[in-house]
Amino acid sequence: MHGFFLGAALFLILLMALSLYRAAYGPTVVDRLVGANAIGSKTVVLLIIIGHLFSREDMFVDIALAYAMLNFIAVLAASRYFHKRKGLDAVEEEITPRIHWD
Amino acid sequence: MLDLLAVLLTLGGLVFFAGATMGILRFPDFYTRLHAAGKLDTLGALLTMAGLAVYNLHPFSITTLLTSLKIGFAVGFIFIASPTATHAIVDAGVRAGLRPWVKQEDEQK
């Protein structure tokens, strides 16, 4: 079972590395936000698996819970900050033509 | 028996996480990527952490039961927080004026 959870943790790290592509090269700022949010939600699970591998679940569950709250607040703050076209103008002309919704 | 259940739950969660990553990498625009990421990450976190909580109960005692309950609390928090964060990101995209992806022939009309 130890080896199985080690493999699961390595697979999660591989998925996080793939999500990092979207966080690094995403065409718009909100695309990067999607990648960062996906990495954060995988990190919560990864922390609990690490706690199981070290046989310290009681400690790492608290760390994972605090990380989940921190990730949630970080994503909320970043999306509130970027919701007025900030940082979107640089690439927007080629990627997405401008449209104004009601 | 409990070990088998834990392995099945964890493998199912990893499948959902892999689907979420595939959607983030391959979907054509921001809204579809967020559609894949928001739902599949939530369900993958539920299944994986349920598997870990079941496996954690192995030597059954009050301590392991409390730890498993705390994992369940983390899952409950993720189930409230992750759709809220997804909605906040969609709201940022809509207010910034990002245009949803359409098929090419519709774009030329």
Side-chain angles (χ1 to χ4, degrees), chain B residues 64-87:
Chain B
T64 59
L65 182 64
L66 280 180
T67 307
S68 290
L69 279 181
K70 217 183 277 177
I71 292 179
F73 182 66
V75 169
F77 178 75
I78 286 179
F79 251 67
I80 298 173
S82 180
T84 311
T86 307
H87 174 77

Side-chain angles (χ1 to χ4, degrees), chain A residues 33-48:
Chain A
L33 211 50
V34 173
N37 188 23
I39 290 177
S41 64
K42 286 176 184 63
T43 305
V44 180
V45 179
L46 185 64
L47 273 173
I48 295 183

Side-chain angles (χ1 to χ4, degrees), chain A residues 3-26:
Chain A
F4 170 72
F5 281 118
L6 188 61
L10 287 177
F11 185 66
L12 269 183
I13 290 173
L14 172 71
L15 290 184
M16 287 160 72
L18 287 177
S19 301
L20 193 61
Y21 171 80
R22 187 56 67 200
Y25 294 105

Side-chain angles (χ1 to χ4, degrees), chain A residues 54-85:
Chain A
F54 285 151
S55 306
R56 294 296 302 270
E57 286 99 343
D58 46 351
M59 188 175 78
F60 274 85
V61 164
D62 291 342
I63 298 174
L65 198 50
Y67 189 84
M69 294 182 181
L70 207 60
N71 182 44
F72 173 55
I73 293 174
V75 168
L76 273 192
S79 59
R80 284 299 100 180
Y81 180 73
F82 284 121
H83 82 134
K84 293 233 183 64
R85 312 190 63 85

